[in-house]
Amino acid sequence: MITMQLLIGIGAICGVSTVLAVIMVIADATIANYGEVKVRINEDKELVVPGGKPLLGSLMEQKIFIPSACGGRGSCGLCKVKVTSGAGEYLATELPWISEEEKKENIHLSCQLKVKKDIGIRIPERLFNVKEYAAEVVSLKDLTYDIKQVTMKLLDPMEIVFKAGQYIQFQVPEYELSKESVYRAYSVASQPSVKDSVELEIRLVPNGICTTYVFEHLKEGERITINGPYGEFFLRDSENEIVFIAGGSGMAPIKSILYDMREKGSKRKARYFFGARAVRDLFLVEEMKELEKDLENFSFIPALSEPEEKDNWTGETGLITDVLDRHLENGDGTEAYLCGSPGMIDASIKTLTKNGIPEELIYYDKFA
Amino acid sequence: MSNGITFYAIFFAAIFTNNILLTNYLGMCSFLAVSREVKTSQGLGMAVAIVMAATSVLNWLAYRYILVPLDLVYLRFIVFIVIIAAFVQLIEMIIERVSDSLYASLGIFLPLITVNCAILGVCLFMVIREYTLLQAFFYGLGSGIGWALAIIAMAGIRQKMAKARVPKGLAGAGITLIIAGIMALAFMGFSGMIQIT
């Protein structure tokens, strides 16, 4: 009797669930089926994609990569694209990221915008240069106690074209800290003439999804996926004197730019202020000394904010902003390139503008 | 059925005197989380009202014609939840298909309310109170409207409060719960009008 009741119960649950599941499957194939839709890019290219999916993912399947740090969850606000036709209304999930001016221009978050009918979009041409690369980790080296140098050999495609200073995105696979694969952005530390490999400098962030993965799980010989290059952080062509400012792993893009300048025989006057806490936070000092010899008008100025007794430090001390303040006299004909924590960048911008360097000549990569 | 309360009495009671949110304190999580702006809470409130009205009818039918005849009343929780989830999914797909503007204002809230306990609560109350189909529909609709009313009122208050200086320890959910308590007291003032149990 009890078994009978149990069987009826199980049967009823299964029956109800089956009926509902069938309804859902039918709905999915009819109501939610948008067929194939066309995406026109820059009034030029036309792609045919399955409808009903977010634009970001649809473009990614077609090997067009819009920069996005959160991987499509609508939490970074980077994947903006200009929609020229077929956009529809803004979703509440987009609004926090879209300013009034951007609204007028019909700029949407591509991870939230679903492609349900033919649409036209406009993206910068250089994004077509962005590719996905399969790569193999060939070396992992400790630069300091909390910064690792990761060198990857590109397998497919085998070469990358980028400007010194740009960044790539590193795909972290699923592992214990992250249930889904996520992307994190890192500046390329190697120079563009090295086409078959990419070097990154990664600083350990406690509990950071990507940095924990790199520090505790990544091994030499492992296959990983990266995509890029992205970013507007590269040396502008001018005769201006250059001020580089970096802290921690912000060294990476500056190193790339400096090596590139050496290869091109640049004679521009350049000073590189590197902020660190103590000697144990300094790295690549020898390489920078080499550069001072090879580049005619370049000087490297490391500054320690809290040198330890045992360091016997004779160089600059103090916060990077104080050191800057002491060295800058006249901002005329100077441009600045900054890479580091948001706090350091904001403080440095203040010091630079105070010393007469106009904001439009200050370029930076802010990695939160 | 045993009780003879008219459906409009149930309808108004569900909105005012027996407001599901303010008297039973059901559906609190989305009430606290999405009551920052009047506009968004209107969308959410509307979505809840529609889903409550529809699922109370669907679940009434499932209860009366599947669970009772097969003597499976003890399975009502799981059956109700599955039906609510499927209905919400379905209506989201439909809204997304038919209207962009409706989807933008209402559709994105639907996944939020699949697990809203107020909706399950309405379905369980209507069973306990042995409502007829008509009564169940108006009870669902009324409760939904009542819930919407409460969240919109709360959003209005919170919008005004955004400029006020709330003591640090009370900011956020703390002050919202206190306001909800005072609102519940205010709604008790309606209790002389109609009563349902």
Side-chain angles (χ1 to χ4, degrees):
Chain A
M1 189 60 207
I2 288 173
T3 32
M4 192 62 197
Q5 252 226 319
L6 203 66
L7 282 179
I8 295 176
I10 294 169
I13 292 278
C14 292
V16 170
S17 309
T18 313
V19 170
L20 292 173
V22 168
I23 294 175
M24 297 311 291
V25 170
I26 294 172
D28 205 41
T30 52
I31 303 170
N33 183 359
Y34 295 87
E36 288 188 327
V37 292
K38 293 192 188 100
V39 180
R40 268 184 83 78
I41 304 174
N42 297 356
E43 306 297 330
D44 173 28
K45 275 192 181 110
E46 198 169 82
L47 305 173
V48 178
V49 301
K53 288 198 216 155
L55 180 61
L56 179 72
S58 300
L59 288 175
M60 212 183 266
E61 276 167 21
Q62 304 284 333
K63 300 289 169 204
I64 293 174
F65 298 94
I66 310 288
S68 142
C70 68
R73 282 172 300 159
S75 62
C76 72
L78 286 178
C79 61
K80 287 174 186 167
V81 294
K82 186 175 163 65
V83 181
T84 46
S85 64
E89 294 194 27
Y90 280 100
L91 297 179
T93 40
E94 296 179 82
L95 288 175
W97 309 105
I98 308 288
S99 69
E100 284 303 316
E101 287 90 65
E102 287 172 329
K103 254 189 214 171
K104 279 183 205 126
E105 287 202 50
N106 241 325
I107 289 174
H108 282 258
L109 281 195
S110 61
C111 68
Q112 299 300 311
L113 177 66
K114 284 190 182 167
V115 191
K116 287 184 278 188
K117 53 189 179 213
D118 296 357
I119 69 166
I121 59 170
R122 190 166 284 281
I123 58 177
E125 286 290 334
R126 64 188 153 68
L127 285 183
F128 295 125
N129 194 20
V130 172
K131 293 187 187 123
E132 189 172 77
Y133 295 85
E136 184 186 319
V137 178
V138 287
S139 103
L140 285 166
K141 194 173 124 195
D142 284 319
L143 291 174
T144 71
Y145 62 97
D146 72 344
I147 298 179
K148 254 196 202 326
Q149 184 181 59
V150 182
T151 313
M152 294 163 292
K153 189 176 154 42
L154 301 179
L155 302 174
D156 178 37
M158 288 170 69
E159 291 194 341
I160 184 168
V161 177
F162 67 102
K163 287 183 186 165
Q166 286 191 303
Y167 68 90
I168 56 103
Q169 291 195 111
F170 184 102
Q171 186 181 358
V172 189
E174 296 165 32
Y175 79 112
E176 68 217 32
L177 274 194
S178 161
K179 283 201 200 79
E180 51 189 358
S181 96
V182 295
Y183 294 94
R184 289 291 181 270
Y186 292 100
S187 297
V188 179
S190 46
Q191 61 274 32
S193 63
V194 183
K195 290 197 169 67
D196 59 348
S197 70
V198 164
E199 180 191 310
L200 307 177
E201 285 161 7
I202 299 180
R203 181 183 200 162
L204 179 65
V205 178
N207 290 322
I209 288 177
C210 188
T211 62
T212 311
Y213 176 77
V214 169
F215 273 71
E216 288 173 16
H217 297 266
L218 197 63
K219 305 248 160 35
E220 283 175 11
E222 203 159 313
R223 295 277 175 100
I224 43 137
T225 307
I226 60 173
N227 60 57
Y230 303 104
E232 303 297 321
F233 188 71
F234 45 79
L235 195 64
R236 303 304 195 270
D237 231 354
S238 76
E239 290 303 310
N240 288 337
E241 185 192 333
I242 308 164
V243 172
F244 293 113
I245 305 166
S249 53
M251 168 71 91
I254 312 283
K255 179 189 163 223
S256 177
I257 292 174
L258 287 169
Y259 275 51
D260 194 42
M261 284 170 71
R262 172 160 68 185
E263 280 168 9
K264 290 179 176 153
S266 169
K267 293 193 167 45
R268 284 174 72 174
K269 188 168 188 304
R271 280 179 293 179
Y272 179 9
F273 297 90
F274 184 78
R277 217 167 276 153
V279 165
R280 63 191 195 116
D281 296 297
L282 286 178
F283 58 98
L284 297 180
V285 177
E286 287 308 311
E287 282 82 349
M288 293 299 131
K289 291 265 168 352
E290 282 292 307
L291 281 167
E292 281 187 324
K293 272 185 231 150
D294 299 341
L295 279 167
E296 257 174 63
N297 292 313
F298 170 68
S299 55
F300 177 59
I301 306 162
L304 299 187
S305 58
E306 298 159 21
E308 295 166 23
E309 293 266 325
K310 62 173 191 312
D311 288 351
N312 292 322
W313 181 251
T314 53
E316 292 285 345
T317 53
L319 287 174
I320 193 79
T321 44
D322 302 334
V323 179
L324 265 178
D325 221 10
R326 286 202 289 273
H327 279 82
L328 296 172
E329 298 97 31
N330 184 359
D332 273 356
T334 306
E335 58 193 40
Y337 297 85
L338 285 57
C339 187
S341 66
M344 188 207 88
I345 287 182
D346 292 339
S348 303
I349 290 174
K350 263 187 210 150
T351 314
L352 291 169
T353 46
K354 198 183 84 186
N355 283 286
I357 298 177
E359 263 196 276
E360 58 271 20
L361 290 182
I362 302 175
Y363 307 96
Y364 52 87
D365 254 352
K366 222 190 237 184
F367 287 107
Chain B
M1 289 289 157
S2 58
N3 65 71
I5 315 168
T6 55
F7 62 84
Y8 53 82
I10 289 181
F11 178 68
F12 285 108
I15 297 178
F16 297 110
T17 59
N18 289 55
N19 188 299
I20 189 106
L21 203 154
L22 293 172
T23 56
N24 299 99
Y25 260 58
L26 288 176
M28 284 310 281
C29 12
S30 33
F31 176 70
L32 294 178
V34 197
S35 59
R36 246 175 274 268
E37 274 174 50
V38 170
K39 212 178 143 224
T40 41
S41 45
Q42 274 170 352
L44 182 65
M46 212 155 71
V48 168
I50 291 168
V51 172
M52 267 189 193
T55 53
S56 58
V57 170
L58 288 177
N59 282 337
W60 189 91
L61 294 172
Y63 184 78
R64 182 78 175 70
Y65 294 108
I66 299 174
L67 297 183
V68 173
L70 293 177
D71 202 16
L72 293 173
V73 176
Y74 65 95
L75 284 177
R76 61 187 183 276
F77 290 89
I78 192 163
V79 169
F80 286 176
I81 287 183
V82 170
I83 289 177
I84 293 169
F87 177 76
V88 170
Q89 277 285 315
L90 199 64
I91 199 164
E92 189 193 357
M93 281 187 205
I94 294 170
I95 288 178
E96 195 174 353
R97 180 88 204 196
V98 296
S99 161
D100 263 351
S101 57
L102 202 59
Y103 182 71
S105 64
L106 199 147
I108 50 166
F109 298 112
L110 286 170
L112 273 181
I113 56 177
T114 315
V115 285
N116 189 320
C117 47
I119 294 171
L120 183 64
V122 162
C123 296
L124 293 174
F125 278 134
M126 89 191 169
V127 166
I128 294 169
R129 295 172 190 167
E130 298 180 332
Y131 286 155
T132 61
L133 182 59
L134 195 64
Q135 285 175 326
F137 171 71
F138 279 99
Y139 179 60
L141 185 64
S143 294
I145 294 173
W147 196 91
L149 189 69
I151 194 173
I152 293 167
M154 172 60 90
I157 295 173
R158 285 184 76 174
Q159 259 182 1
K160 288 235 184 287
M161 207 175 61
K163 293 188 190 75
R165 258 179 284 156
V166 178
K168 210 176 162 195
L170 282 179
I175 193 80
T176 314
L177 278 169
I178 293 174
I179 297 171
I182 297 170
M183 276 168 67
L185 286 178
F187 268 70
M188 276 178 76
F190 292 119
S191 63
M193 279 176 17
I194 344 157
Q195 269 298 346
I196 53 167
T197 45

